[in-house]
C-alpha cells in the first residue's frame, strides 16, 4: 500500500483546482420541478385482501352467533313467561303437554279419574258394583277335563225381561258363546232340559247322554253344573221321568248345594294361552286357612300357583274371619301388575268360596287398585269377567 501522506494544505490546493459548478436556474423553478416530480409507486401488499376477508368472516360469524343466542334467549323467555316455570327437558315437556288442565284443587280431574280407575281396570273378577244395570251369566266352561267359571256381564237391555231367572239367562246366551274362540272345549249348552223352580235347578238328562263316560267326565259335568248355577240353593240331576238320575260311576245323584264346599283358586291356561283363575275341584282343603296356605304350591302340573315364589305369608283366624299376613313387608308396586292382581284376587275368591271375610296385612300400600287393606277386603261375586258385546 503506498505510504503517501496528505496534509491539509495539499488537500486544500487540490480542491481549489476542481472546476466550479454553477446552476443558473431560479429557485422557484427548481421548487416547482421538485413538487411536480412523481413519486415511485409502491409494491402492492398481496396479503392485505386475505386479511380483510378473514376479519370480515370472523365479524359476520360473531354477529350471527350473537343474533342466534339472542333469539334463543327471547324464545326461552317467552316459553318461561307462557308456562310460568323453568325450562324443562324434552321428556318433561311432553309430559307437561300431555297433562290436562288442572282442577280447582290443583289436581286435574282426568288425572284423578285415571288414578282411581286405571288400577281397577286390572281386576279380572266381577264385583258388586258391576251388577248394576247388568246381569251376570256365570258359566262353567270346560278345558282338558277342568272347569273354569267365566262371568259374562250382560247389559240389562239385551234381555227380554227385566229380571230373567238363571235358566232363562243361560238358555238365551249360552248357545251364543264361542267356546273354542275363548280357548275352551265345546261343551255348552247342556244336553236335555233345564228347569228352575224358585232357587232350585233341575236338569233332565236325555237317554244316551255323554256325562257318565268315565269318572273324569262325571266330575267335569257336576263341577260345570255347580259353577254355572253357583248362586242357586239346590241342583237336581234327574232322568227324563223326573227321578234322580243314576250315573254309572257314582250311582244315584243326590241333590246338592252349589258352593257348599269352598275351593282354592289357581291359575289355569287355556288353548289361547290366556290365564284364568279356576277352582281346584277335588284338591281343595276343608277350611279356608288351609285353602289360603295351599295357594303357595301348585297342586299339579296344570294348575299354577298365583303366589310368586319369593312371597311367603301366614294365615291367622279369628272365628270365621281370616287375616293373611305377609312375612316380609310387601311392596305391591315392585310386582308385575297382572301377577299382583291375580294373587290378590285368588286369595279373595278362595275366601269368598268359603264364605269367609279376609284381611290382608303387612303391605307397603294401604290402598292398591281399589282395595283398601286397612279393613276387610272387598270380595268378588264371580271370577273371570268378560263383557258381553252390546248390539
Amino acid at each position: 500500500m503506498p505510504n503517501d501522506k496528505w496534509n491539509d494544505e495539499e488537500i486544500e490546493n487540490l480542491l481549489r483546482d476542481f472546476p466550479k459548478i454553477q446552476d443558473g436556474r431560479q429557485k422557484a423553478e427548481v421548487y416547482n420541478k421538485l413538487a411536480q416530480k412523481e413519486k415511485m409507486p409502491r409494491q402492492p401488499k398481496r396479503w392485505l385482501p386475505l386479511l380483510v376477508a378473514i376479519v370480515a368472516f370472523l365479524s359476520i360469524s360473531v354477529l350471527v352467533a350473537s343474533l342466534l343466542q339472542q333469539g334463543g334467549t327471547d324464545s326461552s323467555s317467552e316459553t318461561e313467561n307462557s308456562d310460568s316455570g323453568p325450562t324443562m327437558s324434552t321428556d318433561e315437556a311432553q309430559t307437561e303437554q300431555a297433562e290436562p288442565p288442572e282442577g280447582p284443587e290443583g289436581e286435574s280431574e282426568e288425572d284423578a279419574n285415571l288414578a282411581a280407575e286405571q288400577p281397577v281396570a286390572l281386576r279380572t273378577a266381577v264385583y258388586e258394583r258391576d251388577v248394576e244395570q247388568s246381569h251376570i251369566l256365570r258359566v262353567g266352561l270346560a278345558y282338558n277335563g277342568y272347569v273354569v267359571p267365566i262371568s259374562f256381564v250382560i247389559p240389562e237391555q239385551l234381555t227380554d225381561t227385566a229380571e230373567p231367572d238363571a235358566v232363562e239367562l243361560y238358555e238365551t246366551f249360552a248357545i251364543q258363546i264361542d267356546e273354542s274362540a275363548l280357548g275352551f272345549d265345546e261343551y255348552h249348552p247342556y244336553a236335555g232340559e233345564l228347569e228352575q223352580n224358585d232357587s232350585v235347578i233341575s236338569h233332565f238328562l236325555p237317554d244316551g247322554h255323554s256325562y257318565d263316560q268315565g269318572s273324569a267326565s262325571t266330575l267335569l259335568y257336576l263341577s260345570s253344573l255347580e259353577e254355572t248355577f253357583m248362586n242357586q240353593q239346590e241342583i237336581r240331576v234327574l232322568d227324563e221321568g223326573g227321578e234322580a238320575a243314576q250315573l254309572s260311576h257314582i250311582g244315584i245323584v243326590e241333590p246338592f248345594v252349589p258352593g257348599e264346599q269352598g275351593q282354592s283358586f289357581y291359575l289355569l291356561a287355556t288353548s289361547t294361552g290366556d290365564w284364568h283363575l279356576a277352582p281346584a275341584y277335588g284338591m281343595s282343603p276343608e277350611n279356608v286357612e288351609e285353602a289360603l296356605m295351599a295357594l303357595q304350591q301348585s297342586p299339579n302340573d296344570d294348575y299354577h300357583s298365583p303366589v310368586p315364589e319369593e312371597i311367603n305369608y301366614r294365615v291367622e283366624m279369628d272365628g270365621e274371619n281370616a287375616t293373611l299376613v305377609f312375612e316380609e313387608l310387601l311392596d305391591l308396586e315392585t310386582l308385575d301388575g297382572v301377577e299382583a292382581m291375580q294373587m290378590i284376587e285368588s286369595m279373595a275368591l278362595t275366601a269368598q268360596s268359603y264364605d269367609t271375610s279376609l284381611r290382608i296385612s303387612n303391605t307397603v300400600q294401604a290402598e292398591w287398585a281399589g282395595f283398601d287393606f286397612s279393613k276387610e277386603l272387598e270380595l268378588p261375586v264371580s271370577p273371570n269377567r268378560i263383557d258381553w258385546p252390546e248390539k
Side-chain angles (χ1 to χ4, degrees):
M1 176 173 192
N3 191 16
D4 295 334
K5 296 182 179 180
W6 295 81
N7 54 35
D8 294 339
E9 183 179 355
E10 290 177 345
I11 294 173
E12 200 174 49
N13 292 331
L14 181 60
L15 289 175
R16 276 197 292 266
D17 292 337
F18 276 95
K20 294 182 179 180
I21 300 173
Q22 295 181 353
D23 188 355
R25 294 175 298 175
Q26 298 293 326
K27 292 181 180 180
E29 181 181 357
V30 174
Y31 176 80
N32 289 335
K33 286 188 177 183
L34 290 174
Q36 293 176 2
K37 186 175 182 181
E38 294 182 0
K39 296 182 180 180
M40 181 68 65
R42 295 182 179 180
Q43 185 73 19
K45 297 179 180 180
R46 302 183 183 277
W47 50 267
L48 186 59
L50 179 60
L51 178 62
V52 172
I54 293 174
V55 172
F57 176 79
L58 293 176
S59 300
I60 293 174
S61 300
V62 172
L63 179 60
V64 170
S66 177
L67 291 175
L68 289 176
Q69 184 177 3
Q70 182 178 0
T73 303
D74 294 341
S75 175
S76 176
S77 299
E78 291 175 3
T79 303
E80 291 178 7
N81 293 334
S82 62
D83 292 344
S84 299
T87 302
M88 61 184 66
S89 67
T90 303
D91 291 341
E92 291 172 336
Q94 291 174 349
T95 303
E96 181 73 15
Q97 293 172 1
E99 293 178 356
E102 291 188 350
E105 297 182 359
E107 181 183 16
S108 69
E109 183 177 350
E110 186 173 344
D111 283 344
N113 292 337
L114 287 175
E117 295 178 4
Q118 189 172 8
V120 178
L122 292 172
R123 296 187 180 190
T124 65
V126 177
Y127 295 83
E128 193 64 40
R129 61 178 173 272
D130 300 322
V131 182
E132 297 178 2
Q133 299 182 340
S134 299
H135 303 294
I136 307 302
L137 173 62
R138 176 169 173 159
V139 182
L141 299 184
Y143 178 71
N144 281 353
Y146 296 102
V147 173
V148 180
I150 300 295
S151 305
F152 297 95
V153 180
I154 302 173
E156 61 182 10
Q157 63 266 24
L158 297 183
T159 58
D160 295 332
T161 58
E163 294 296 334
D165 60 31
V167 169
E168 290 174 339
L169 203 61
Y170 176 83
E171 291 182 337
T172 301
F173 294 98
I175 196 172
Q176 303 179 45
I177 300 173
D178 190 344
E179 297 169 78
S180 60
L182 294 174
F184 296 93
D185 302 330
E186 294 293 340
Y187 195 79
H188 293 271
Y190 296 115
E193 295 183 4
L194 289 166
E195 183 181 279
Q196 181 168 354
N197 184 11
D198 293 331
S199 294
V200 177
I201 303 296
S202 297
H203 185 203
F204 296 88
L205 291 176
D207 291 336
H209 65 81
S210 60
Y211 298 126
D212 64 346
Q213 293 181 345
S215 57
S217 65
T218 299
L219 177 61
L220 177 65
Y221 163 66
L222 295 177
S223 300
S224 174
L225 204 61
E226 181 174 354
E227 285 297 333
T228 300
F229 299 105
M230 178 60 70
N231 296 326
Q232 306 307 309
Q233 291 182 355
E234 187 178 272
I235 297 176
R236 298 175 180 177
V237 179
L238 310 173
D239 59 23
E240 290 182 313
E243 301 295 329
Q246 182 169 335
L247 301 179
S248 58
H249 290 84
I250 63 172
I252 294 177
V253 182
E254 298 293 339
F256 60 94
V257 178
E260 186 174 27
Q261 169 60 46
Q263 307 292 338
S264 299
F265 277 74
Y266 295 92
L267 287 169
L268 185 69
T270 58
S271 63
T272 57
D274 296 320
W275 292 92
H276 303 279
L277 289 170
Y281 277 95
M283 291 178 273
S284 296
E286 293 293 329
N287 60 71
V288 67
E289 180 180 2
E290 294 179 2
L292 288 170
M293 292 298 296
L295 293 177
Q296 298 177 92
Q297 300 293 330
S298 301
N300 61 22
D301 292 337
D302 296 316
Y303 287 119
H304 291 261
S305 171
V307 182
E309 293 183 358
E310 68 275 11
I311 295 178
N312 296 298
Y313 57 81
R314 66 182 184 275
V315 176
E316 300 174 353
M317 298 299 300
D318 180 12
E320 295 298 322
N321 303 316
T323 300
L324 188 148
V325 184
F326 292 106
E327 296 292 352
E328 296 183 2
L329 185 64
L330 177 61
D331 185 355
L332 291 166
E333 295 299 331
T334 63
L335 303 178
D336 176 80
V338 174
E339 292 181 355
M341 181 58 69
Q342 289 171 340
M343 179 182 68
I344 297 298
E345 287 193 320
S346 71
M347 297 170 176
L349 287 165
T350 298
Q352 187 268 344
S353 73
Y354 285 87
D355 197 23
T356 303
S357 67
L358 177 65
R359 287 179 178 269
I360 291 182
S361 179
N362 202 24
T363 59
V364 171
Q365 293 78 18
E367 296 182 3
W368 180 81
F371 292 114
D372 186 351
F373 298 129
S374 66
K375 55 185 180 182
E376 290 183 359
L377 199 68
E378 179 186 9
L379 300 181
V381 297
S382 197
N384 303 313
R385 171 177 179 163
I386 294 180
D387 291 331
W388 196 274
E390 297 187 28
K391 294 182 180 178

